[in-house]
Amino acid sequence: MHTHVLFEHPLNEKMRTWLRIEFLVQQMNGNLPVRDHASALHFFRNAGDLLDVLERGEVRTELMKELERQQRKLNQWDDVPGVDRERIGALRQQLKSTGTMLMAAPRIGQLLREDRLIGLVRQRLSIPGGCCSFDLPTLHIWLHSPQAQRDAQVERWLASLEPLMQTLTLILDLIRNSAIFRKQTSLNGFFQDNGDDADLLRLRLALDAQLYPQISGHKSRFAIRFLPLDSENGTVPERLDFELACC
């Protein structure tokens, strides 16, 4: 049984932002509970990066537009014979209630942005070693406070991101499941095709090939070059099979 690695590549700016947000929130959740300096800096660094990403664009507006676009796509299934109407209806309802929740939520990231501790750590992260105890006595004492107290605070920060993450998870699920994987073959490590207005490329590659894809392009056209992980001794086969989904 071959082990396959899944690569995802965004074909527009909004998808690039959404994948980064998904990654950063997964990182924030990935090293809990916060027990020591290492897990604290992992959490705060990702929280700071998330705030940077959120400050760059109109994330809520883009997500609301996408919820509407997905509703329109569902409407096109109405006249298709044999379609699972119950499933379509449930998805429609989910999109509607998610949109209502997102609209009612406070400004995304506001609780994190206004938190004094997150702000202090964020200021020091760009300084090499700038988060040690003499630089950040606030963090030092916070790490000595009871674990339950820290857990409750971290939980509150993460709960404030829930409207964003529920919406994003639903949208990314719909986009990822909008296309099936098809077998493709690259010649001499190169493959290109039309994007057909896609938002996201998903590519499955056998791990034992020890190759990775370098992808460039946008929603109408893209190119993939396969490169060896070992740049000095690795080789790229003349014909390489992989699986691709244009979502």
Side-chain angles (χ1 to χ4, degrees):
M1 176 74 183
H2 285 300
T3 303
H4 284 78
V5 183
L6 175 68
F7 295 88
E8 291 190 324
H9 188 83
L11 293 173
N12 52 47
E13 196 54 43
K14 69 173 186 191
M15 183 57 71
R16 194 171 287 119
T17 299
W18 293 346
L19 291 181
R20 284 182 178 145
I21 291 171
E22 181 188 48
F23 170 76
L24 288 166
V25 176
Q26 281 171 354
Q27 292 296 305
M28 286 168 73
N29 279 287
N31 216 4
L32 298 178
V34 173
R35 293 188 187 281
D36 50 25
H37 259 92
S39 52
L41 291 184
H42 177 88
F43 181 87
F44 287 119
R45 178 168 277 115
N46 286 292
D49 285 352
L50 177 66
L51 289 174
D52 286 343
V53 171
L54 293 174
E55 278 158 18
R56 276 184 212 141
E58 290 295 314
V59 175
R60 193 200 309 246
T61 308
E62 287 292 348
L63 288 170
M64 290 303 298
K65 276 189 204 160
E66 186 62 30
L67 288 171
E68 285 168 21
R69 187 176 80 114
Q70 292 294 339
Q71 284 280 21
R72 286 197 299 276
K73 282 176 85 171
L74 285 178
N75 292 344
Q76 290 167 8
W77 287 94
D78 275 348
D79 303 323
V80 177
V83 75
D84 184 345
R85 295 195 182 283
E86 209 172 297
R87 173 92 179 109
I88 298 287
L91 275 174
R92 240 187 219 137
Q93 193 48 50
Q94 212 180 340
L95 285 166
K96 194 176 171 186
S97 58
T98 303
T100 306
M101 174 194 64
L102 187 64
M103 278 306 285
R107 189 179 169 207
I108 295 172
Q110 192 65 15
L111 191 72
L112 278 69
R113 202 174 284 108
E114 289 174 353
D115 190 273
R116 184 168 170 266
L117 181 60
I118 291 177
L120 286 168
V121 179
R122 203 176 165 197
Q123 281 169 14
R124 308 296 303 181
L125 280 168
S126 58
I127 301 162
C131 294
C132 52
S133 59
F134 65 84
D135 273 313
L136 265 179
T138 325
L139 177 63
H140 190 62
I141 194 162
W142 187 72
L143 285 168
H144 281 82
S145 60
Q147 184 67 48
Q149 196 177 313
R150 280 202 306 281
D151 288 350
Q153 199 162 358
V154 169
E155 212 170 292
R156 207 161 46 246
W157 290 330
L158 290 171
S160 74
L161 299 172
E162 208 40 48
L164 165 68
M165 290 317 294
Q166 274 190 40
T167 309
L168 193 56
T169 302
L170 174 61
I171 283 171
L172 290 177
D173 275 353
L174 286 168
I175 290 171
R176 283 174 173 136
N177 291 312
S178 68
I180 58 167
F181 282 97
R182 299 180 191 281
K183 190 184 151 195
Q184 305 287 2
T185 305
S186 77
L187 298 175
N188 298 315
F190 187 73
F191 179 86
Q192 63 178 355
D193 203 356
N194 295 324
D196 294 328
D197 229 17
D199 290 305
L200 179 71
L201 288 185
R202 308 185 81 215
L203 188 153
R204 276 204 296 242
L205 194 56
L207 177 60
D208 56 14
Q210 290 291 284
L211 300 169
Y212 65 92
Q214 201 174 62
I215 302 171
S216 59
H218 43 78
K219 61 183 183 177
S220 54
R221 191 150 188 81
F222 63 87
I224 304 170
R225 190 171 292 285
F226 292 95
L227 299 167
L229 186 57
D230 181 345
S231 56
E232 286 180 26
N233 305 308
T235 57
V236 180
E238 193 179 323
R239 295 177 71 82
L240 173 73
D241 291 339
F242 63 97
E243 290 182 303
L244 185 69
C246 292
C247 305

